[in-house]
Amino acid sequence: QVQPVESGGGSVQTGGSLLLTCTAPGFISNRCDVGWYRQAAGKQREWVSSIDATGRATYADSVKGRFTLSKDGFVDAVYLQMSSLKPEDTAIYSCQILRSPFTRSCAGLWGQGTQVTVSS
């Protein structure tokens, strides 16, 4: 099963940028889709963005135009470039290897999460 690990969180001021990385050995060869989610304190987890095996990325309306999701097949990594950050983007960001009906390797596992804090 493909296990993701996130990195790159931190603190930034409003308008700043951060790059989050989800490293997941095997997700390229197994053609797994990958999703990013976030959970702010006291709120439910929400979907942020996903990228499929073809490289097509989709975004929540709240981040469209500010966040960019991409992947690197050489290092089995997915990158979430976050720009024009707002205080409401503050949350724990988690990466998930989305379940696939075609292979058990894409099993829905979550990373440990990484904190993003945006101050005004």
Side-chain angles (χ1 to χ4, degrees):
Q1 296 180 335
V2 178
Q3 174 68 57
V5 176
E6 304 95 337
S7 61
S11 297
V12 66
Q13 292 189 327
T14 297
S17 299
L18 281 174
L19 176 67
L20 303 185
T21 300
C22 175
T23 303
F27 92 91
I28 291 289
S29 59
N30 286 285
R31 299 184 60 78
C32 302
D33 297 350
V34 178
W36 277 96
Y37 297 78
R38 66 187 182 186
Q39 186 167 20
K43 296 187 177 181
Q44 288 190 330
R45 179 185 288 162
E46 65 173 348
W47 171 74
V48 174
S49 180
S50 297
I51 190 164
D52 67 17
T54 70
R56 185 177 69 98
T58 53
Y59 303 91
D61 287 343
S62 59
V63 306
K64 201 172 293 183
R66 300 188 298 123
F67 291 10
T68 302
L69 192 60
S70 61
K71 61 181 179 179
D72 184 339
F74 290 102
V75 297
D76 271 327
V78 171
Y79 304 108
L80 182 65
Q81 177 66 56
M82 306 186 297
S83 302
S84 301
L85 284 163
K86 306 174 182 180
E88 52 263 43
D89 294 317
T90 295
I92 295 174
Y93 285 70
S94 299
C95 173
Q96 186 193 23
I97 304 301
L98 304 180
R99 288 186 180 275
S100 169
F102 306 110
T103 171
R104 294 179 181 177
S105 295
C106 310
L109 297 185
W110 291 88
Q112 81 285 357
T114 186
Q115 177 70 47
V116 170
T117 302
V118 185
S119 57
S120 56

